[in-house]
Amino acid sequence: MLWFIGIYFKTITVVLGSAKPQTEPRYPELKPIQSINAHPSNCICIKFDPMGKYFATGSADALVSLWNVEELVCVRCFSRLDWPVRTLSFSHDGKMLASASEDHFIDIAEVETGEKLWEVQCDSPTFTVAWHPKRPLLAYACDDKDGKYDNNREAGTVKLFGLPNDS
């Protein structure tokens, strides 16, 4: 069972990783106060937006779900990935959400509408994505051991999207 914990004011918010009933403890008593089923399969990643309005979960069902923090309701699902979601990141202003998986692209969506803004092509599966804390610049790391690099050694690179020559 996977537990993902985020702190929102004085409540520890637990986003559940399976369809089995789970509970959300309140700190410091850690007594159950609510249960929430986020996905029908295991959650793999979670991120809170920097404005504190939303959090997103990525799951083995290849869906990204956007949740309202105060209401604890799913407001939108993103279904453009075909493989389990490995990583998520909100932009510094909370307006964009990047998600990636073993698909050979990173999906960048507008949070408020769900509209696809960009599809960043990759040569291999993506392990992690992270937005710059003050600029619309996305860093990401892929599994580069297959392909143009030496297949006999572990290799990885950090790449950037959002530089002036990117489109």
Side-chain angles (χ1 to χ4, degrees):
M1 171 55 52
L2 297 174
W3 288 80
F4 298 95
I5 301 173
I7 299 174
Y8 180 70
F9 293 111
K10 294 184 180 181
T11 302
I12 294 177
T13 304
V14 179
V15 179
L16 308 168
S18 79
K20 295 178 184 176
Q22 295 295 321
T23 58
E24 176 182 87
R26 181 178 295 279
Y27 183 82
E29 300 88 22
L30 299 179
K31 293 181 181 175
I33 59 170
Q34 187 172 353
S35 68
I36 178 175
N37 291 321
H39 290 268
S41 59
N42 287 343
C43 289
I44 297 171
C45 50
I46 182 171
K47 290 290 179 180
F48 283 84
D49 85 84
M51 305 296 120
K53 184 176 179 181
Y54 299 114
F55 64 91
T57 59
S59 178
D61 60 12
L63 294 175
V64 174
S65 298
L66 184 70
W67 294 78
N68 178 292
V69 169
E70 291 194 17
E71 301 294 324
L72 289 179
V73 294
C74 181
V75 295
R76 186 167 296 103
C77 282
F78 306 87
S79 59
R80 290 184 282 268
L81 298 173
D82 292 324
W83 290 88
V85 182
R86 286 184 174 184
T87 181
L88 300 166
S89 184
F90 283 96
S91 60
H92 71 283
D93 56 6
K95 293 182 179 181
M96 295 182 283
L97 176 63
S99 56
S101 66
E102 291 185 38
D103 293 293
H104 288 196
F105 67 89
I106 299 166
D107 181 65
I108 300 177
E110 184 177 27
V111 171
E112 289 299 326
T113 65
E115 180 182 339
K116 178 169 72 171
L117 298 174
W118 290 283
E119 185 174 288
V120 181
Q121 294 299 314
C122 305
D123 294 328
S124 55
T126 303
F127 289 130
T128 189
V129 294
W131 287 99
H132 187 280
K134 295 182 181 177
R135 295 184 179 87
L137 181 64
L138 182 71
Y140 58 100
C142 298
D143 181 6
D144 291 329
K145 66 182 174 188
D146 295 329
K148 59 185 173 183
Y149 299 101
D150 182 0
N151 290 345
N152 295 324
R153 68 177 181 91
E154 293 294 321
T157 57
V158 174
K159 301 171 184 170
L160 298 174
F161 174 79
L163 295 171
N165 61 347
D166 288 336
S167 57

